[in-house]
Amino acid sequence: DQQVKQNSPSLSVQEGRISILNCDYTNSMFDYFLWYKKYPAEGPTFLISISSIKDKNEDGRFTVFLNKSAKHLSLHIVPSQPGDSAVYFCASYSAPSAGGTSYGKLTFGQGTILTVHP
Amino acid sequence: GAGVSQSPSNKVTEKGKDVELRCDPISGHTALYWYRQSLGQGLEFLIYFQGNSAPDKSGLPSDRFSAERTGGSVSTLTIQRTQQEDSAVYLCASSLVGDRAYEQYFGPGTRLTVT
């Protein structure tokens, strides 16, 4: 039961162009959606988040869009740089319940390998 | 400051042996998570510790897996009677609690190979 899916295992983009990474989810009860970036032999690093009540969040070259009706989110990188080449994971997050009976945790997609060519 | 550290960075073990993986979280982070990434897969949640609360063990794949967190800091993930399907990169993360608890800081991982 894959609650968060990244259907494109890889993406290749020319430097300076836009990179669009996509993610679909099945559970509408998530509080936040995140994007993490991972270089080889390193742990993932947090990149950008979006609250489930928003439809867009922008941070420099990175913008995340959330389409709740389609249960789809995307990460746009403009302009793409060779240093952006990495594996990108989308993830969903459910905050702990007020009664403390459930725990906040991340549910990750399978990842998309982005390669930005000079 | 220091990030999340994990040891060993690589571990090769024979099938049937027990292994222990260690995680040192960021000082002051009360939440600690274990994930694993198998070849070609995303990160799979294993277990979550938060302060003195009972851990969320819902992601542990079998009773051969266990974890503890001593003194609210260092955590050890133990896999007993390892199997080849346990081969993966085991990642530890820590975070603050509250509004930005989704911002988790990951260690570099331990690559476990079961032969």
Side-chain angles (χ1 to χ4, degrees), chain B residues 43-92:
Chain B
L43 280 76
E44 174 190 12
F45 167 79
L46 297 177
I47 189 168
Y48 165 38
F49 295 90
Q50 205 297 90
N52 296 320
S53 302
D56 175 2
K57 304 179 182 180
S58 61
L60 295 179
S62 79
D63 58 8
R64 296 186 295 104
F65 287 72
S66 63
E68 62 177 22
R69 188 179 186 191
T70 54
S73 181
V74 171
S75 177
T76 302
L77 177 69
T78 301
I79 309 173
Q80 295 178 310
R81 306 181 301 283
T82 52
Q83 303 294 313
Q84 288 185 332
E85 61 262 28
D86 300 335
S87 296
V89 176
Y90 288 81
L91 291 154
C92 174

Side-chain angles (χ1 to χ4, degrees), chain A residues 2-7 21-38 44-52 64-66 71-75 87-95 104-112, chain B residues 33 35 42-45 93 101-106:
Chain A
Q2 190 83 33
Q3 295 190 40
V4 180
K5 289 185 180 181
Q6 293 175 257
N7 293 315
L21 298 140
N22 294 302
C23 181
D24 297 297
Y25 61 93
T26 56
N27 185 346
S28 298
M29 300 303 292
F30 297 127
D31 298 297
Y32 287 90
F33 295 92
L34 312 312
W35 286 94
Y36 276 75
K37 176 180 177 179
K38 185 181 184 302
T45 56
F46 170 77
L47 187 59
I48 191 169
S49 66
I50 186 167
S51 166
S52 60
V64 56
F65 296 92
L66 178 61
K71 296 185 180 178
H72 177 84
L73 73 154
S74 60
L75 174 68
V87 180
Y88 288 78
F89 292 96
C90 68
S92 60
Y93 176 77
S94 299
K105 64 188 180 191
L106 295 173
T107 302
F108 286 89
Q110 306 95 311
T112 297
Chain B
Y33 313 77
Y35 297 86
L43 280 76
E44 174 190 12
F45 167 79
Y102 54 75
E103 190 169 342
Q104 298 179 10
Y105 295 80
F106 284 81

